[in-house]
Amino acid sequence: PFDEINIPVTVMNNRTGSASATFRVRINNVTPVFSNLSVAPAETDEGSSLTLSGTFTDPGTQDTYTGRVRWGDGTEESFSVAAPTRTFSLTHTYKDDPKAANDTYAIAVSLRDDDSGAVNGNTSAIVRNVAPAIDTDSIVINRLTPDGSAIAEADVDSLDESDLFEVVGTFSDPG
């Protein structure tokens, strides 16, 4: 990709006057280059956010940029950067770590200037699985009839082996 511009030139002397000409010059586009692409924090818990930051160089002082992030969890996000800015910052939350252990998500970033120069970069984030938490204050034990209907709240110390009961409560899971 390139732009072509006309450059007018006039040469003058004090005896014969002046001469003018116009030259057409081709300006080749230079592709942007990532100078930094990072995630902070590099490790996070599911349900917590992290920030992707990037800086890049490009000698095109008037260029504007569009970008796309593929977060590695099936979601994508578009962004734009106006001239003369050469930085971007995006926040993302990994909703759930689908496995029992920590997982590394590959993050792919593409950036294109308005003259079609493009650069791709990669980084990653580690997302830790977080165990659910039980709200112990919300737990209620109900004594049940043989057909499964709740009779009344039961005292834990008064339950027998043959009693039917249900345990009701709430829990939270950041994912």
Side-chain angles (χ1 to χ4, degrees):
F2 61 89
D3 288 325
E4 289 188 352
I5 60 172
N6 292 323
I7 299 178
V9 176
T10 302
V11 178
M12 299 187 315
N13 71 19
N14 57 3
R15 291 191 191 164
T16 58
S18 64
S20 296
T22 299
F23 297 94
R24 189 147 183 87
V25 176
R26 176 183 278 189
I27 311 286
N28 291 320
N29 183 49
V30 176
T31 300
V33 175
F34 284 123
S35 52
N36 180 47
L37 197 56
S38 62
V39 175
E43 293 188 27
T44 190
D45 293 336
E46 64 182 358
S48 298
S49 62
L50 53 75
T51 301
L52 168 69
S53 299
T55 57
F56 58 95
T57 59
D58 187 348
T61 60
Q62 300 301 313
D63 284 350
T64 57
Y65 306 88
T66 56
R68 185 165 211 65
V69 178
R70 290 174 182 80
W71 293 102
D73 62 355
T75 62
E76 297 182 4
E77 184 174 354
S78 297
F79 65 96
S80 60
V81 180
T85 306
R86 300 287 190 268
T87 63
F88 60 90
S89 180
L90 301 162
T91 301
H92 183 70
T93 300
Y94 287 91
K95 301 288 186 200
D96 188 22
D97 175 29
K99 299 178 183 144
N102 300 345
D103 288 311
T104 300
Y105 288 89
I107 301 169
V109 182
S110 59
L111 183 75
R112 179 178 300 276
D113 69 19
D114 56 2
D115 296 316
S116 298
V119 62
N120 296 307
N122 297 291
T123 188
S124 63
I126 296 173
V127 178
R128 294 181 295 260
N129 191 37
V130 177
I134 297 173
D135 178 4
T136 56
D137 292 334
S138 72
I139 294 177
V140 175
I141 299 174
N142 294 318
R143 189 177 306 269
L144 302 177
T145 63
D147 69 356
S149 302
I151 301 173
E153 191 172 323
D155 180 2
V156 175
D157 295 328
S158 69
L159 293 174
D160 294 326
E161 289 179 11
S162 61
D163 286 339
L164 294 175
F165 61 92
E166 70 179 349
V167 178
V168 179
T170 60
F171 72 93
S172 62
D173 185 353

